[in-house]
Amino acid sequence: RCHQRSVAMLDIPFPPFLAFLGSLGVLCVALVGTWCQHWRGGFSLDGGIRTFNWHPVLMVTGLVVLYGAAALVYRIPATWSGPKLPWKLLHGGLALGAFVLTVLGLAAVFRFHNSNGIPNMYSLHSWMGLATVLLFSCQWAAGFGAFLLPWAPTWLRQLYKPIHVFFGSTILLLSVASCVSGINEKLFFSLKNGTTQYKLLPAEAVFANTLGMLILLFGVLVVGALARPSWKRPDPESLDSRQVL
């Protein structure tokens, strides 16, 4: 009985959790923008260092926060009854928006590197980030073909659904790892000659490290919400095999 009471106390409703997670996501975007504006010089499209600053902002916004929002669409209780097509469009639209922001973030860093003679794709962070984006693009295309196109057979949807869910969580974790490693890499490159070294933990390092921890917390909470049985859609996908309007 004590165990059952403990479980019941921990089984919080999804809407308050979603409100907290949404606030955390907004905070992550606000902090990465503040970091780039206050310590890194702001934003520009001239190919200089301020062009690079679009990269962390767009990546955190798209690849982590917006992608996390797309992953949680089917945990909203309102999606558990009625036609699923509007929610599928919302899920796919949020993911597409995240992908567009991610591509723009990649364009910013490649333009900065090419304008300043810096080699591309040499660090582990860049390898991990590009692999995440490529996997993300395959995930979106496969999901569009399996769940949004009207002629996809039921057996294909049933076969692909657990794969889609697995890679959804995997991509989010890879996104978080890419962003956190990118923050760390930027601090190592920036806090050296002429500035307080990273190892001495100046104010910028404390701020950016805190940002990284909040991004990590956001990703862990999203994956935890996806894995929570009481927040999963109770009806099987097969009941909506024809996307009733």
Side-chain angles (χ1 to χ4, degrees):
R1 290 181 179 179
C2 292
H3 175 71
Q4 291 176 348
R5 290 175 183 175
S6 300
V7 172
M9 292 176 63
L10 293 174
D11 193 16
I12 63 174
F14 182 73
F17 172 84
L18 184 62
F20 170 77
L21 192 63
S23 300
L24 180 59
V26 171
L27 179 61
C28 289
V29 174
L31 289 183
V32 70
T34 301
W35 176 38
C36 293
Q37 180 67 44
H38 181 72
W39 278 285
R40 298 290 100 216
F43 304 92
S44 176
L45 298 176
D46 59 4
I49 186 62
R50 293 186 299 167
T51 297
F52 171 86
N53 289 340
W54 287 107
H55 176 66
V57 172
L58 292 172
M59 288 305 193
V60 171
T61 304
L63 205 56
V64 176
V65 177
L66 201 57
Y67 184 85
L72 290 177
V73 165
Y74 293 118
R75 296 303 183 267
I76 301 174
T79 68
W80 294 0
S81 60
K84 281 186 66 178
L85 183 57
W87 301 106
K88 289 184 179 184
L89 293 174
L90 177 61
H91 174 73
L94 288 173
L96 181 60
F99 181 73
V100 170
L101 293 181
T102 300
V103 171
L104 293 175
L106 287 178
V109 69
F110 279 119
R111 182 179 181 186
F112 167 70
H113 282 185
N114 295 334
S115 298
N116 294 273
I118 301 174
N120 292 307
M121 302 303 301
Y122 65 89
S123 67
L124 177 60
H125 162 67
S126 61
W127 288 20
M128 186 186 306
L130 186 60
T132 303
V133 175
L134 292 176
L135 189 60
F136 184 6
S137 61
C138 294
Q139 169 87 341
W140 194 92
F144 178 81
F147 301 121
L148 279 176
L149 295 182
W151 52 79
T154 302
W155 65 266
L156 178 61
R157 296 180 185 179
Q158 293 176 340
L159 177 66
Y160 178 63
K161 183 179 178 180
I163 300 174
H164 185 77
V165 172
F166 169 78
F167 277 104
S169 298
T170 301
I171 292 169
L172 180 62
L173 292 176
L174 288 173
S175 300
V176 169
S178 298
C179 288
V180 171
S181 64
I183 292 171
N184 191 242
E185 183 179 282
K186 183 61 177 176
L187 291 174
F188 273 117
F189 285 159
S190 301
L191 300 180
K192 49 181 183 179
N193 299 332
T195 64
T196 303
Q197 295 183 15
Y198 188 16
K199 66 182 181 181
L200 299 178
L201 205 64
E204 181 182 355
V206 173
F207 188 92
N209 285 351
T210 302
L211 168 63
M213 294 300 294
L214 292 177
I215 291 172
L216 179 61
L217 176 62
F218 181 89
V220 168
L221 290 178
V222 172
V223 173
L226 293 175
R228 194 176 183 90
S230 62
W231 288 348
K232 291 182 179 181
R233 181 184 172 96
D235 55 321
E237 175 69 17
S238 59
L239 294 180
D240 186 48
S241 62
R242 290 300 160 193
Q243 305 174 17
V244 181
L245 294 175

